[in-house]
Amino acid sequence: MLNIKQGLRNLKEDYVDGSHWVLKAVGTVLLAYALMASVLGFYWNSEPDVSQPPSAQTVIGEATTKALLHLANTLLDKPGGYLSNDVSLPGVWMDNIPNWEYGVLIQVRDLSRAMRKDFSRSQSQSTEDMDLAVAEPQFNFDSESWMLPSSEGEYRTGVNALTRYLDRLSDGQQSKAQFYARADNLTRWLGDVETRLGSLSQRLSASVGQKRLNTDLAGDAEATQSTSTASELEIKTPWSEIDDVFYEARGASWALIQLLRAIEVDFKSVLEKKNALVSLRQIIRELESTQETLWSPMVMNGSGFGLVANHSLVMASYIARANAGIIDLRGLLTQG
């Protein structure tokens, strides 16, 4: 009987020792994984640099198409790849770069739509380009789909279609792939840019909260809307979304700098004729200020004239000035 009790005691001690060994091994693996994920997260959290301005184009539309391809490829091939749909560490922890990606993606979607709808067509009754008709809906796929299908796979299909368009555009023997650098085409795309920047400016400015008069129906005595709203609105971005809006604005600005530089090349004759080249360059200059280094470890949200900086208001100032420049540029382009 004594031997049986001793055997059971030894068996229990062996089980406890084995359990401790397993727990230690699992804990070590988890700790190493978390450490590796933290290092990768720090590396992946860096924003790509703005590329060099394009050289003089050989074919009209080549610079703009290459710039669009650069944006899409950067989303997919930068350190860590595309992070917005990650479900594992460290991507699932990160939110700055995924919001940056979304800002870039919106600009990719807007320009791919403009290229399909306007830039590649001579008039409203002309046939749309077959490859741009594939690329545009691919870039509008859900940005957070992990699989079946994945966002990356759909965007890669769009990149391949856009590459085929560029190859045909650069081939002097082909006449079906076209890019029409006209003032009306550029004005319509700039209208999309204007509304995007206006929205970002308002959301950034709302970081401190403010009361605004409702101007939704201003300027038209006969204007109506679906449901009534208050004459004075309280606008404030939730504290948990302040850095999200900030990095979305940085991503959108990063993309626009490179797109507008390409526009300067492809639409140079149009801009010179309208004496609008310097206006475009000033818009680019304003947007370049949004890419300055953020020295604070986090996006600060001090009050308007308080002791602590408010990075959102600084970003809003740059974007608002760029947006004002876009409005003026559109006015120059529509003048005879």
PDB file of all heavy atoms in Angstrom, residues 317-329:
ATOM      1  N   SER A 317      -4.264  72.915 -42.064  1.00  0.00           N
ATOM      2  CA  SER A 317      -3.846  74.182 -42.663  1.00  0.00           C
ATOM      3  C   SER A 317      -3.175  73.957 -44.014  1.00  0.00           C
ATOM      4  O   SER A 317      -3.494  74.631 -45.006  1.00  0.00           O
ATOM      5  CB  SER A 317      -2.879  74.906 -41.713  1.00  0.00           C
ATOM      6  OG  SER A 317      -2.347  76.058 -42.308  1.00  0.00           O
ATOM      7  N   TYR A 318      -2.250  72.991 -44.087  1.00  0.00           N
ATOM      8  CA  TYR A 318      -1.573  72.694 -45.351  1.00  0.00           C
ATOM      9  C   TYR A 318      -2.573  72.210 -46.407  1.00  0.00           C
ATOM     10  O   TYR A 318      -2.531  72.622 -47.569  1.00  0.00           O
ATOM     11  CB  TYR A 318      -0.494  71.638 -45.143  1.00  0.00           C
ATOM     12  CG  TYR A 318       0.686  72.103 -44.318  1.00  0.00           C
ATOM     13  CD1 TYR A 318       1.208  71.307 -43.302  1.00  0.00           C
ATOM     14  CD2 TYR A 318       1.294  73.332 -44.566  1.00  0.00           C
ATOM     15  CE1 TYR A 318       2.302  71.715 -42.556  1.00  0.00           C
ATOM     16  CE2 TYR A 318       2.376  73.758 -43.816  1.00  0.00           C
ATOM     17  CZ  TYR A 318       2.872  72.947 -42.807  1.00  0.00           C
ATOM     18  OH  TYR A 318       3.950  73.368 -42.067  1.00  0.00           O
ATOM     19  N   ILE A 319      -3.463  71.310 -45.999  1.00  0.00           N
ATOM     20  CA  ILE A 319      -4.409  70.738 -46.953  1.00  0.00           C
ATOM     21  C   ILE A 319      -5.414  71.780 -47.416  1.00  0.00           C
ATOM     22  O   ILE A 319      -5.807  71.813 -48.595  1.00  0.00           O
ATOM     23  CB  ILE A 319      -5.101  69.508 -46.331  1.00  0.00           C
ATOM     24  CG1 ILE A 319      -4.107  68.357 -46.258  1.00  0.00           C
ATOM     25  CG2 ILE A 319      -6.337  69.105 -47.115  1.00  0.00           C
ATOM     26  CD1 ILE A 319      -4.654  67.083 -45.697  1.00  0.00           C
ATOM     27  N   ALA A 320      -5.847  72.659 -46.506  1.00  0.00           N
ATOM     28  CA  ALA A 320      -6.792  73.706 -46.892  1.00  0.00           C
ATOM     29  C   ALA A 320      -6.168  74.652 -47.914  1.00  0.00           C
ATOM     30  O   ALA A 320      -6.830  75.090 -48.861  1.00  0.00           O
ATOM     31  CB  ALA A 320      -7.250  74.478 -45.659  1.00  0.00           C
ATOM     32  N   ARG A 321      -4.873  74.968 -47.733  1.00  0.00           N
ATOM     33  CA  ARG A 321      -4.205  75.841 -48.693  1.00  0.00           C
ATOM     34  C   ARG A 321      -4.054  75.153 -50.041  1.00  0.00           C
ATOM     35  O   ARG A 321      -4.218  75.771 -51.095  1.00  0.00           O
ATOM     36  CB  ARG A 321      -2.837  76.286 -48.150  1.00  0.00           C
ATOM     37  CG  ARG A 321      -2.940  77.226 -46.970  1.00  0.00           C
ATOM     38  CD  ARG A 321      -1.741  78.159 -46.887  1.00  0.00           C
ATOM     39  NE  ARG A 321      -0.493  77.432 -46.713  1.00  0.00           N
ATOM     40  CZ  ARG A 321       0.062  77.176 -45.536  1.00  0.00           C
ATOM     41  NH1 ARG A 321      -0.546  77.571 -44.412  1.00  0.00           N
ATOM     42  NH2 ARG A 321       1.208  76.550 -45.452  1.00  0.00           N
ATOM     43  N   ALA A 322      -3.738  73.863 -50.016  1.00  0.00           N
ATOM     44  CA  ALA A 322      -3.650  73.109 -51.273  1.00  0.00           C
ATOM     45  C   ALA A 322      -5.010  73.051 -51.950  1.00  0.00           C
ATOM     46  O   ALA A 322      -5.114  73.183 -53.182  1.00  0.00           O
ATOM     47  CB  ALA A 322      -3.128  71.698 -51.002  1.00  0.00           C
ATOM     48  N   ASN A 323      -6.064  72.869 -51.161  1.00  0.00           N
ATOM     49  CA  ASN A 323      -7.411  72.809 -51.719  1.00  0.00           C
ATOM     50  C   ASN A 323      -7.818  74.147 -52.333  1.00  0.00           C
ATOM     51  O   ASN A 323      -8.446  74.194 -53.401  1.00  0.00           O
ATOM     52  CB  ASN A 323      -8.411  72.403 -50.638  1.00  0.00           C
ATOM     53  CG  ASN A 323      -9.737  71.959 -51.214  1.00  0.00           C
ATOM     54  OD1 ASN A 323      -9.799  71.439 -52.317  1.00  0.00           O
ATOM     55  ND2 ASN A 323     -10.807  72.168 -50.473  1.00  0.00           N
ATOM     56  N   ALA A 324      -7.448  75.240 -51.681  1.00  0.00           N
ATOM     57  CA  ALA A 324      -7.733  76.562 -52.246  1.00  0.00           C
ATOM     58  C   ALA A 324      -7.007  76.735 -53.574  1.00  0.00           C
ATOM     59  O   ALA A 324      -7.542  77.326 -54.527  1.00  0.00           O
ATOM     60  CB  ALA A 324      -7.324  77.651 -51.263  1.00  0.00           C
ATOM     61  N   GLY A 325      -5.780  76.204 -53.654  1.00  0.00           N
ATOM     62  CA  GLY A 325      -5.039  76.257 -54.908  1.00  0.00           C
ATOM     63  C   GLY A 325      -5.705  75.444 -56.003  1.00  0.00           C
ATOM     64  O   GLY A 325      -5.719  75.850 -57.174  1.00  0.00           O
ATOM     65  N   ILE A 326      -6.268  74.282 -55.632  1.00  0.00           N
ATOM     66  CA  ILE A 326      -6.980  73.448 -56.607  1.00  0.00           C
ATOM     67  C   ILE A 326      -8.192  74.206 -57.160  1.00  0.00           C
ATOM     68  O   ILE A 326      -8.460  74.189 -58.374  1.00  0.00           O
ATOM     69  CB  ILE A 326      -7.442  72.124 -55.957  1.00  0.00           C
ATOM     70  CG1 ILE A 326      -6.237  71.244 -55.599  1.00  0.00           C
ATOM     71  CG2 ILE A 326      -8.398  71.375 -56.872  1.00  0.00           C
ATOM     72  CD1 ILE A 326      -5.556  70.579 -56.743  1.00  0.00           C
ATOM     73  N   ILE A 327      -8.915  74.883 -56.285  1.00  0.00           N
ATOM     74  CA  ILE A 327     -10.088  75.652 -56.717  1.00  0.00           C
ATOM     75  C   ILE A 327      -9.672  76.744 -57.705  1.00  0.00           C
ATOM     76  O   ILE A 327     -10.299  76.933 -58.761  1.00  0.00           O
ATOM     77  CB  ILE A 327     -10.803  76.263 -55.500  1.00  0.00           C
ATOM     78  CG1 ILE A 327     -11.380  75.145 -54.609  1.00  0.00           C
ATOM     79  CG2 ILE A 327     -11.909  77.203 -55.940  1.00  0.00           C
ATOM     80  CD1 ILE A 327     -11.919  75.625 -53.284  1.00  0.00           C
ATOM     81  N   ASP A 328      -8.588  77.451 -57.390  1.00  0.00           N
ATOM     82  CA  ASP A 328      -8.101  78.500 -58.289  1.00  0.00           C
ATOM     83  C   ASP A 328      -7.631  77.902 -59.615  1.00  0.00           C
ATOM     84  O   ASP A 328      -7.860  78.488 -60.690  1.00  0.00           O
ATOM     85  CB  ASP A 328      -6.955  79.272 -57.636  1.00  0.00           C
ATOM     86  CG  ASP A 328      -7.420  80.113 -56.457  1.00  0.00           C
ATOM     87  OD1 ASP A 328      -8.636  80.386 -56.369  1.00  0.00           O
ATOM     88  OD2 ASP A 328      -6.576  80.488 -55.619  1.00  0.00           O
ATOM     89  N   LEU A 329      -6.951  76.758 -59.543  1.00  0.00           N
ATOM     90  CA  LEU A 329      -6.452  76.115 -60.763  1.00  0.00           C
ATOM     91  C   LEU A 329      -7.596  75.690 -61.671  1.00  0.00           C
ATOM     92  O   LEU A 329      -7.535  75.870 -62.901  1.00  0.00           O
ATOM     93  CB  LEU A 329      -5.586  74.907 -60.389  1.00  0.00           C
ATOM     94  CG  LEU A 329      -5.023  74.095 -61.560  1.00  0.00           C
ATOM     95  CD1 LEU A 329      -4.172  74.980 -62.482  1.00  0.00           C
ATOM     96  CD2 LEU A 329      -4.198  72.909 -61.029  1.00  0.00           C
TER      97      LEU A 329
END
